[in-house]
Amino acid sequence: MATSRSGRQPAAWTGSASVFSGRPDPTWAVDDDVARELMDIWGALELWEGALPSAPALGYRGCALRDRAGREWSTHGDVVRLTQDRSTQSRVDPERRFERRLLSSAPPGLLPPFAAGGG
Amino acid sequence: MALRITIDIFSGRPNPVIELEGRAAIDALRRLRPGEKLKRGEAVPPPARLGYRGLIVERRGAGGADLPRTFRVADGRLFGEGLAHRATDEAFEDFICGSTGPRKPHMPRTFDSFAIRELKRFRKWYAVYRPPKIRLPKLRPACLCAPLYEPMWWNDAGQRQYGNNCYNYATNYRTDTFAQPGQAAGAMYTALTCASVRPAAIQDTLIDSPTANNRCPREGHLVALVIAPNWDFHWYRKGRNGLWTHKPGGTQATNLDNSGKLIPDPRTADRGPYTQFCTFMVVMHGHIKIR
């Protein structure tokens, strides 16, 4: 029932999914190559100024990528939001490429099947 | 001997008041002398309403000892302390309100006809008036010992919110450790199943109450355990108003289920992937220990 698979050294990039209630949410180290892919995806997305999609109370509520500098890209539905030094920027991701790529980088068996794209 | 008679008819402006003295007062008291006692269905004073509502009579000085100091005349019926009778002259109001009666100070000439019209309208309504049967609302069984629903306290977007999960919230026990059933007793669950999480919670001194059937306990408060099979557990707690609330993980405490509805019973709530309802349990305040 491990929920964290970080190595001894803090990973440069960390993925997480907001999915559990009782247990701590799962986190995992994200490879640099995957992180670069995610940054490319982020760079190609268009700005979004609408409301963020709402998440259900129980079950999968989204996932996030963090770097050592404290930046966080969180996504649920078709919006990705970057939070950095208390400022945020949102971009629209209609094909949910960012979310699917990040979730697919989780080690097998870490995410429950009810996490979108996980399993 | 004097009488002060208020025609109870207006809402915003002051009601007209008539002062009767001497013979006029004595004559009025004679006409208002209690006659036949009102029958049960008649002894109902008129409720507050718009328009004419009766005369309020205040007795001053000696005379009229068979009447209370203040009483109401409505459609020839007398109401006051120990008074529920017909007036000797049931047309007394017509006399007071009409143009042949005493002058109404500060009122235009048209008032008399207005008052008579109102009196007729009142009689028509009062003849068929029956007081509504008051049914007290059925109160939802109050859970007096249940914790308050105070989401703002938990949802601080900081240590309280992120460090406390559904188990902390349901037991109303802040540890800032994302408490796990059984951990404080050294007997944490070993699988994400009802069969494993339930005894772990019992080790924390929660009381298993599978037959609680959504009823509040006499002491402590009710919680409910549900399971996303092999993946996670989740807890709800029953509040003082009988409704359930919960706090999914490090997210905000809420009183809504996954369909955005209030939760009268966690067994029937939209619980997303937490498809197994395990049991109700009772949290005795001060007895449990979680970590």
Side-chain angles (χ1 to χ4, degrees):
Chain A
M1 293 193 305
T3 56
S4 175
R5 300 199 175 180
S6 55
R8 288 179 184 172
Q9 292 288 325
W13 303 89
T14 305
S16 66
S18 177
V19 69
F20 291 143
S21 175
R23 302 167 63 188
D25 282 324
T27 61
W28 65 94
V30 176
D31 290 344
D32 288 344
D33 290 344
V34 175
R36 264 194 295 277
E37 272 185 61
L38 289 166
M39 290 304 99
D40 288 344
I41 294 171
W42 166 255
L45 300 178
E46 292 186 5
L47 280 173
W48 172 257
E49 293 183 347
L52 297 177
S54 61
L58 293 175
Y60 178 70
R61 297 177 290 267
C63 58
L65 173 73
R66 290 182 194 85
D67 70 3
R68 278 192 189 139
R71 294 183 300 174
E72 179 182 278
W73 290 260
S74 58
T75 177
H76 175 71
D78 56 2
V79 176
V80 183
R81 182 171 62 177
L82 168 63
T83 304
Q84 180 179 14
D85 298 330
R86 295 185 177 180
S87 65
T88 61
Q89 184 185 106
S90 297
R91 299 184 184 181
V92 65
D93 183 9
E95 295 172 18
R96 305 173 75 151
R97 290 172 60 212
F98 190 98
E99 181 180 41
R100 285 191 286 114
R101 184 65 189 99
L102 178 57
L103 291 173
S104 69
S105 71
L110 183 66
L111 299 178
F114 49 85
Chain B
M1 173 72 232
L3 285 182
R4 186 171 196 267
I5 299 175
T6 303
I7 302 175
D8 191 13
I9 191 167
F10 290 139
S11 173
R13 63 190 287 195
N15 284 318
V17 176
I18 299 159
E19 303 273 358
L20 299 180
E21 293 181 342
R23 274 201 182 175
I26 292 168
D27 181 56
L29 278 178
R30 185 180 53 77
R31 300 168 79 161
L32 290 173
R33 191 170 296 157
E36 185 186 346
K37 198 166 183 183
L38 293 175
K39 293 173 185 145
R40 179 179 273 192
E42 298 172 327
V44 181
R49 68 190 295 270
L50 292 176
Y52 180 79
R53 298 173 287 270
L55 305 177
I56 301 165
V57 182
E58 297 165 77
R59 198 166 52 78
R60 291 169 180 183
D66 48 354
L67 289 164
R69 280 280 166 200
T70 303
F71 58 97
R72 178 179 290 271
V73 187
D75 189 23
R77 304 179 218 179
L78 307 176
F79 297 100
E81 192 179 344
L83 184 67
H85 297 72
R86 291 206 170 276
T88 299
D89 178 5
E90 292 186 45
F92 181 74
E93 292 155 279
D94 299 81
F95 166 68
I96 292 294
C97 294
S99 56
T100 57
R103 200 174 63 81
K104 289 82 176 173
H106 314 299
M107 287 293 129
R109 284 172 177 262
T110 52
F111 174 78
D112 293 340
S113 56
F114 167 73
I116 288 293
R117 274 202 312 275
E118 270 301 304
L119 175 58
K120 284 181 181 166
R121 192 211 307 260
F122 172 76
R123 281 184 173 141
K124 197 172 173 185
W125 168 82
Y126 196 34
V128 294
Y129 170 74
R130 296 289 175 274
K133 289 180 181 171
I134 297 171
R135 287 184 187 166
L136 293 175
K138 269 192 177 177
L139 296 174
R140 186 188 294 274
C143 300
L144 294 176
C145 296
L148 284 172
Y149 176 54
E150 40 186 0
M152 296 299 284
W153 190 84
W154 291 95
N155 304 342
D156 68 343
Q159 185 67 35
R160 262 182 240 156
Q161 179 177 324
Y162 299 127
N164 295 281
N165 62 2
C166 56
Y167 193 44
N168 291 104
Y169 180 78
T171 54
N172 204 30
Y173 195 122
R174 175 188 175 185
T175 62
D176 294 346
T177 61
F178 229 71
Q180 300 297 299
Q183 185 155 268
M188 201 173 111
Y189 59 88
T190 54
L192 275 312
T193 61
C194 289
S196 185
V197 178
R198 176 170 25 198
I202 292 170
Q203 289 297 311
D204 289 339
T205 324
L206 278 75
I207 301 167
D208 197 14
S209 304
T211 59
N213 197 23
N214 200 12
R215 286 189 301 268
C216 305
R218 287 190 175 200
E219 298 292 339
H221 72 270
L222 203 61
V223 297
L225 169 63
V226 298
I227 291 283
N230 301 315
W231 285 103
D232 196 19
F233 60 87
H234 181 63
W235 294 85
Y236 297 85
R237 80 183 193 195
K238 191 174 175 76
R240 282 190 194 178
N241 61 356
L243 295 172
W244 293 75
T245 60
H246 59 149
K247 182 177 183 299
T251 68
Q252 297 186 341
T254 176
N255 58 354
L256 302 177
D257 70 5
N258 265 30
S259 296
K261 295 178 178 167
L262 294 171
I263 307 170
D265 189 331
R267 292 173 296 188
T268 55
D270 182 348
R271 305 193 303 264
Y274 297 80
T275 52
Q276 282 188 358
F277 183 88
C278 295
T279 188
F280 292 109
M281 296 183 115
V282 172
V283 173
M284 292 293 286
H285 308 152
H287 290 200
I288 66 157
K289 187 174 183 185
I290 66 171
R291 185 157 60 88

